[in-house]
Amino acid sequence: MTGKQKRYLRSIGSTIEPIVQIGKGGVAQPVIESAKDALLARELIKVRVLQNSPEEPPIAIAFLAESTGAELVQVIGRNGLLYKRNQEKPKLELP
């Protein structure tokens, strides 16, 4: 993914609300399944790591991205952006 594409996704991501939250259970299977479903429907999702999570936010978000096969676009504080193109019905057109 190019820098220009990441900038474009970050600009879109700044306006969306977190869809997936990682809590005291960490990055468990239900969280991964929820993220996969959201990525399939939206392609770009925001993830929030709650205060009671056992993992550090950058590590938890990177692990979730790896587990779902998504591209890690950005991590700021406790929030992260994940992108995965829907091969059948793409919603976002990258520059």
Side-chain angles (χ1 to χ4, degrees), residues 16-85:
I16 62 176
E17 290 296 313
I19 295 170
V20 177
Q21 296 187 343
I22 301 171
K24 65 181 177 183
V27 184
Q29 196 60 36
V31 174
I32 294 170
E33 293 303 318
S34 165
K36 281 182 181 177
D37 293 342
L39 282 164
L40 189 62
R42 300 171 185 244
E43 292 187 329
L44 182 69
I45 62 170
K46 189 179 277 189
V47 179
R48 174 169 288 148
V49 180
L50 301 176
Q51 293 282 348
N52 61 356
S53 173
E55 293 126 358
E56 289 298 311
I59 295 168
I61 294 168
F63 181 73
L64 183 60
E66 186 180 314
S67 299
T68 58
E71 181 85 30
L72 178 59
V73 178
Q74 177 182 38
V75 175
I76 294 182
R78 298 191 155 274
N79 294 320
L81 274 179
L82 302 181
Y83 172 75
K84 184 174 182 183
R85 183 175 172 82

